[in-house]
Amino acid sequence: IIAGFEGVVYAADMGARVINCSWGGSGASQTEQDFVNYATGKGALVVAAAGNGNVTTPSYPASYANVISVAATKQTDAKASYSSFGPTVDVSAPGGEPFNTPTVAIYSTDYDSTYGNSAGTSEATPFVSGLAALVASYFPGYSALQVGDQVRVTCDDINGVNPSYVNQLGKGRINAVRALTDSLPSLRMLSTVIKDSVGGNNNGILEPNEDFTITTNFINYLKPTTNAMVTLSTSDTNVQINSNTFAIGALGTMGVTDNSSSPFQVHVKSNPTPGHVVAFTLTISDGTYSDFQIFNVLINPTFATHDVNNVKVTFTNNGRIAFNDFPSNTEGVGFVFPAPSDTNHLFEGGLIIGNSATKLLNVIRNNSGTQDADFSSSQIYNLGTPDSISSPHQHGSTIFTDSLAPSTNKLGLKVYMDSYAFVTAPDNNYVLVRYVMRNTSASTISGLYIGLFFDWDMQPNYATNKTDYDTSRGLGYAWDNGAVNPIYCGARALSGAAGYRGLINSASNPLDLSRTSKWAWLSGGIVTTNVQEDIHFVLSSGPFAIASGATQMVGFAIVGGTDLTNLQANADAAQAKWNKLLPVLGVGEQPMGVPTVYSLSQNYPNPFNPSTHIRYELPKTSVVSLKVFDVLGREVGTLVNGEQTAGRYTVPFDGSRLASGLYFYRLVAGEYTAMKKLMLIK
């Protein structure tokens, strides 16, 4: 299995028509998908086990495109208790039930030159591979994907004996006779394009009260259709489908079509859960032929990606960096450098805070293979148009607490996180990240360290990566030591480095991911490594003492470079920018500083739907009035009306009851008056 994908490529090169993969696991990569695509292009159909976890979590290679994913059934056609299921499954086949019961298990060849009883999706998969080989021999002109779809569309419907798993076990249980004798179409959606440009604010994020369109691209692998129809549906109450049909009509074998002239239209309702995934079903019909396909759409996402300079990096609302859905890693881009390429160099990143091995908070993976999840937030990661600090560039923010941490690990922290990206040189090769930690407990928190963990997968080969540390800069960095002209990526501790730990993760020496180890990474000083391997590192600042109710601010820069010298120059630019911003950002117990002048910032996001935020600054205690007006000068909202002390303020404005159009907001504070425009688009 360690060389499983190399084996797939080898088998395809040797002329295999069908490749059986009775193995798999969590985690995906574009490289592995490329291996599958290569085999498919060589004429080999890849068939893989859906997994034995009794979960809907995708397993790979089964869940890659161009792979037939196989679930397991019992003798009655009911789902085997262990079998995974869900929208990525294509077909089912007998897998035995339960494990290690000879009378109902699968009797088959076994290592070494013997026979044995076993059960699992690994046993179900060869039934499908064997049938695919039979179909390939019976229809020698079929491509690999046509072979797979002939097996799929001729399955027997088993929804009736699986009422709790309707359409979750693929098209059904395979039927060898039907696979050789039935002639049916096979319409499959190849891709979707989702846009919020009409009825939304065109930022690519499906937000509350927005409309969006779904454009689908279909192919017909088998028999021509005559009057095919596709219908979109969902049982999810967070959205409303306003246009749900796509009349394909007649479509020949291997013909393609799309509904770009009349896409599906969907409305997001007013209060969806942050990070909610909507499952849509496409129901396909053409005479006696019926089919379905399920796909997911994320609305009100809890993560956002900076994308305005040479760095693209994703942040989440709970302290994770790179991706929101480890280990699938589909929600986010990782750390891409240099943009506009799509080469990601970061597999996992996240925040670690603690003052002991027990009082330690983090959101990175642990020894069980999952991630610790100590931070929670009721907000999204708000990536808006510029504020006064990052203008004219990009600013993101969120707030989270340690409410999800085990009671023995909690510290009582509330964390205000901000990120800043800049367009113009020399500040266009990094993103600044600022954390302001507030002590909400009744006691002083002493000896506190804060750090960032990075599991770098520097391309093109993470197995030849190396990491090192620049002491003079507090800069940890990584590169692929086997590459001819390697890209360098890293992080700089802008508030001073207290610790750096170069980490190695290998089959012979797996990385210990316990909280005890994570504390040692934070507080153990500078420990470098010079080994060429799958590398990680942790960079930290501290120690800090935060009194009850007080705050502490810490900054980091995540940086890319075309070589080491360029990386160091970009890290220096980040430090210079941070130093320049400190009078604005503030330090210690004044995380946002005390303004020296009155100011009113542009609202963000803008345009907006239905809500936005308005920021302003007061250098002294003032009587404040903040109101919103329509284009005729009529007042449509009073946001603030009263005395406020000196400081920086952010006020939300909800325009859900207003019509689309241009509005104005006016700040009156003492003798200061300012007005700006804002645009509501529904």
Side-chain angles (χ1 to χ4, degrees):
I1 294 176
I2 291 174
F5 287 97
E6 290 87 343
V8 168
V9 170
Y10 175 81
D13 286 340
M14 294 300 103
R17 292 295 307 276
V18 182
I19 300 172
N20 185 89
C21 298
S22 286
W23 51 272
S26 60
S29 74
Q30 184 58 49
T31 299
E32 292 177 353
Q33 179 68 72
D34 291 342
F35 284 147
V36 170
N37 295 345
Y38 175 82
T40 305
K42 297 281 286 188
L45 176 69
V46 180
V47 184
N52 299 330
N54 189 31
V55 293
T56 58
T57 305
S59 179
Y60 298 91
S63 297
Y64 284 127
N66 302 327
V67 177
I68 298 295
S69 175
V70 184
T73 56
K74 301 190 286 188
Q75 289 173 310
T76 61
D77 279 341
K79 185 185 86 71
S81 63
Y82 54 81
S83 179
S84 291
F85 55 98
T88 60
V89 171
D90 295 299
V91 300
S92 298
E97 169 77 19
F99 285 111
N100 303 320
T101 304
T103 56
V104 290
I106 304 300
Y107 189 59
S108 181
T109 55
D110 202 354
Y111 185 84
D112 175 23
S113 300
T114 186
Y115 293 85
N117 295 288
S118 191
T121 55
S122 289
E123 280 63 47
T125 302
F127 281 112
V128 179
S129 295
L131 178 54
L134 183 62
V135 169
S137 68
Y138 202 73
F139 301 102
Y142 277 8
S143 69
L145 296 181
Q146 286 178 302
V147 167
D149 262 63
Q150 180 67 16
V151 172
R152 190 189 65 81
V153 297
T154 56
C155 285
D156 288 348
D157 188 339
I158 58 174
N159 281 332
V161 293
N162 293 281
S164 298
Y165 303 99
V166 171
N167 292 346
Q168 300 293 298
L169 298 171
K171 192 70 166 60
R173 191 252 304 126
I174 60 171
N175 184 318
V177 172
R178 290 187 61 198
L180 299 185
T181 58
D182 284 8
S183 179
L184 296 168
S186 180
L187 280 167
R188 307 306 288 159
M189 183 183 70
L190 293 174
S191 62
T192 61
V193 176
I194 297 174
K195 292 184 177 180
D196 61 339
S197 55
V198 178
N201 58 14
N202 200 31
N203 67 352
I205 301 173
L206 306 183
E207 298 165 304
N209 292 316
E210 275 195 328
D211 292 337
F212 66 94
T213 59
I214 303 176
T215 301
T216 55
N217 180 266
F218 274 86
I219 186 171
N220 179 22
Y221 285 112
L222 298 171
K223 181 183 176 181
T225 65
T226 55
N227 191 28
M229 175 69 71
V230 179
T231 303
L232 180 73
S233 63
T234 184
S235 60
D236 198 307
T237 58
N238 289 283
V239 296
Q240 175 182 311
I241 300 175
N242 295 326
S243 178
N244 70 335
T245 57
F246 173 26
I248 291 179
L251 188 65
T253 302
M254 298 306 294
V256 295
T257 187
D258 64 66
N259 66 336
S260 57
S261 62
S262 183
F264 300 120
Q265 297 178 8
V266 185
H267 174 73
V268 182
K269 294 188 179 178
S270 60
N271 193 30
T273 303
H276 184 69
V277 176
V278 180
F280 289 97
T281 299
L282 295 167
T283 303
I284 307 158
S285 62
D286 183 46
T288 60
Y289 164 69
S290 65
D291 212 336
F292 69 92
Q293 195 161 355
I294 299 171
F295 66 98
N296 295 329
V297 173
L298 178 68
I299 62 174
N300 205 21
T302 58
F303 62 95
T305 299
H306 279 286
D307 58 1
V308 296
N309 62 22
N310 293 329
V311 167
K312 290 193 289 187
V313 60
T314 299
F315 295 104
T316 74
N317 71 340
N318 59 6
R320 293 190 174 103
I321 302 172
F323 296 101
N324 188 56
D325 59 336
F326 176 89
S328 296
N329 288 1
T330 60
E331 297 180 357
V333 302
F335 183 88
V336 173
F337 183 86
S341 76
D342 59 358
T343 302
N344 170 41
H345 300 286
L346 184 60
F347 180 71
E348 180 191 11
L351 183 65
I352 311 176
I353 305 176
N355 66 351
S356 71
T358 53
K359 294 297 182 181
L360 186 126
L361 311 165
N362 76 108
V363 286
I364 65 172
R365 69 182 184 272
N366 50 46
N367 285 328
S368 69
T370 61
Q371 287 180 316
D372 287 335
D374 296 339
F375 300 121
S376 67
S377 175
S378 61
Q379 303 184 0
I380 63 171
Y381 198 88
N382 191 345
L383 189 64
T385 51
D387 67 357
S388 59
I389 295 173
S390 58
S391 181
H393 311 308
Q394 200 174 44
H395 169 233
S397 62
T398 194
I399 303 171
F400 49 86
T401 69
D402 61 357
S403 61
L404 292 182
S407 58
T408 56
N409 302 119
K410 283 184 180 179
L411 283 162
L413 287 178
K414 187 174 186 178
V415 181
Y416 302 80
M417 177 180 175
D418 291 85
S419 54
Y420 302 92
F422 306 91
V423 174
T424 56
D427 301 309
N428 56 343
N429 294 301
Y430 63 81
V431 172
L432 298 182
V433 190
R434 180 184 67 141
Y435 300 95
V436 177
M437 299 171 288
R438 180 175 295 279
N439 179 4
T440 64
S441 73
S443 304
T444 297
I445 301 175
S446 300
L448 189 71
Y449 291 82
I450 176 173
L452 296 181
F453 168 89
F454 298 95
D455 178 358
W456 296 103
D457 282 352
M458 300 300 299
Q459 299 301 314
N461 182 9
Y462 71 85
T464 56
N465 283 188
K466 294 186 76 173
T467 179
D468 210 341
Y469 181 69
D470 183 334
T471 303
S472 65
R473 291 179 169 86
L475 171 68
Y477 57 94
W479 74 101
D480 181 9
N481 198 49
V484 176
N485 294 302
I487 294 295
Y488 283 71
C489 296
R492 181 167 186 167
L494 301 171
S495 304
Y500 168 85
R501 182 64 61 96
L503 302 168
I504 299 297
N505 187 30
S506 66
S508 60
N509 186 26
L511 185 62
D512 180 12
L513 293 156
S514 66
R515 291 182 191 260
T516 299
S517 289
K518 292 169 183 175
W519 166 242
W521 303 342
L522 283 183
S523 61
I526 309 300
V527 181
T528 60
T529 179
N530 197 38
V531 178
Q532 180 173 290
E533 191 44 278
D534 180 13
I535 55 90
H536 315 30
F537 73 65
V538 173
L539 182 68
S540 66
S541 291
F544 303 108
I546 310 178
S548 176
T551 61
Q552 175 66 51
M553 184 178 71
V554 179
F556 296 91
I558 311 179
V559 192
T562 54
D563 54 40
L564 179 56
T565 300
N566 181 244
L567 179 81
Q568 292 168 329
N570 295 335
D572 290 344
Q575 185 70 64
K577 174 66 79 171
W578 177 259
N579 294 343
K580 183 179 180 180
L581 292 177
L582 277 178
V584 179
L585 294 173
V587 294
E589 294 198 16
Q590 297 293 330
M592 294 298 293
V594 177
T596 57
V597 296
Y598 289 102
S599 68
L600 177 64
S601 299
Q602 185 64 51
N603 65 298
Y604 68 99
N606 190 45
F608 67 99
N609 177 28
S611 60
T612 187
H613 293 78
I614 298 171
R615 287 190 175 188
Y616 57 93
E617 300 176 353
L618 308 176
K620 60 184 179 180
T621 299
S622 307
V623 176
V624 176
S625 170
L626 179 62
K627 295 183 178 182
V628 181
F629 303 89
D630 65 15
V631 292
L632 298 179
R634 295 174 297 193
E635 181 181 321
V636 296
T638 297
L639 307 184
V640 180
N641 187 25
E643 186 175 272
Q644 291 182 318
T645 58
R648 289 177 169 82
Y649 294 86
T650 300
V651 179
F653 173 59
D654 185 351
S656 57
R657 63 182 179 83
L658 301 176
S660 296
L662 179 66
Y663 294 85
F664 300 87
Y665 58 98
R666 183 183 68 191
L667 175 71
V668 178
E671 298 179 355
Y672 175 80
T673 301
M675 181 179 290
K676 291 183 179 292
K677 300 176 183 178
L678 70 168
M679 178 67 72
L680 173 62
I681 299 179
K682 292 186 175 179

